[in-house]
């Protein structure tokens, strides 16, 4: 492993941590948003918090994690199976990010896109993917 590779991997992990924090926190804001009175003070606060979280933390962190991950992938050609599965699962998280981003816009347009309960339950999705991705990346199973 070259030293450059280790620096890129460290930066990848830092970006992943910030991205994951947002992926786990944004649905929690949606929970509060779902029960806020339409047009009220809490709703305005939630709208502001959601857009800030997405624009200042989640979007840049996702782009950095993705681009740094691609550079790491370039070093690992051809990729072993565990790495291919890890990257596929990471792409699913990008899709989930897109879903959350779309949901934020739906809150602005049509009020309440989903129930409070839905947003409480949905946090299991990134939790499951994170566990699977980290196990693959660290254990590197040889199947
Ligand atoms: C966005 C797309 C992503 C791509 C293309 C990508 C790609 C990569 C690659 C190629 C490596 C190097 C593997 C190695 O040196 O053994 C790596 C390392 C790692 N990635 Fe990602 N990754 C992505 C997202 C994620 C996500 C979302 C997580 C966690 C939830 C994650 C967690 C890790 C970990 C823990 C390592 C370090 C493995 C080690 O210690 O060797 N990655 N990633």
């Amino acid at each position: 492993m070259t030293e450059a590779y280790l620096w890129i991997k460290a930066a990848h992990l830092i970006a992943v941590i910030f991205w994951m924090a947002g992926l786990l926190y944004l649905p929690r804001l949606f929970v509060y948003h779902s029960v806020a009175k339409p047009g009220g003070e809490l709703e305005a606060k939630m709208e502001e918090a959601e857009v800030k979280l997405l624009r200042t933390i989640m979007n840049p962190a996702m782009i950095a994690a993705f681009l740094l991950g691609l550079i790491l992938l370039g070093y690992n050609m051809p990729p072993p199976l565990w790495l291919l599965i890890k990257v596929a699962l990471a792409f699913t998280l990008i899709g989930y990010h897109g879903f959350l981003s779309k949901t934020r816009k739906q809150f602005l347009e049509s009020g309440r896109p989903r129930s409070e309960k839905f947003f409480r339950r949905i946090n299991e999705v990134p939790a499951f993917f994170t566990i699977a991705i980290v196990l693959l990346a660290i254990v590197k199973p040889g199947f």
Side-chain angles (χ1 to χ4, degrees), residues 1 5 69 71-80 82-83:
M1 267 329 121
Y5 186 86
I71 297 172
L72 293 172
L73 197 57
Y75 279 89
N76 287 279
M77 288 313 217
W82 66 264
L83 185 51

Side-chain angles (χ1 to χ4, degrees), residues 1 5 9 12-13 16-17 19-20 23 62 65-76 82-83 86-87 89-91 93-94 126 129-131 133-134 136-138 140:
M1 267 329 121
Y5 186 86
K9 195 149 85 170
H12 174 66
L13 287 184
V16 162
I17 288 167
W19 182 28
M20 294 308 305
L23 286 182
M62 177 190 65
F66 174 67
L67 292 179
L68 293 162
L70 285 189
I71 297 172
L72 293 172
L73 197 57
Y75 279 89
N76 287 279
W82 66 264
L83 185 51
K86 172 205 183 285
V87 172
L89 294 178
F91 274 74
L93 281 181
I94 294 177
F129 279 91
T130 308
I131 292 166
I133 291 171
V134 171
L136 285 165
I138 302 297
K140 307 184 199 299

Side-chain angles (χ1 to χ4, degrees), residues 78-141:
L81 184 59
W82 66 264
L83 185 51
L84 278 179
I85 302 171
K86 172 205 183 285
V87 172
L89 294 178
F91 274 74
T92 312
L93 281 181
I94 294 177
Y96 179 70
H97 181 120
F99 164 75
L100 293 182
S101 182
K102 199 173 117 203
T103 302
R104 184 193 76 79
K105 289 184 191 128
Q106 285 172 343
F107 264 111
L108 295 179
E109 285 158 13
S110 60
R112 305 289 175 264
R114 309 262 179 171
S115 69
E116 177 202 355
K117 198 170 156 213
F118 174 85
F119 292 120
R120 283 185 196 279
R121 293 295 308 278
I122 204 173
N123 254 356
E124 289 164 23
V125 176
F128 167 79
F129 279 91
T130 308
I131 292 166
I133 291 171
V134 171
L135 288 178
L136 285 165
I138 302 297
V139 180
K140 307 184 199 299

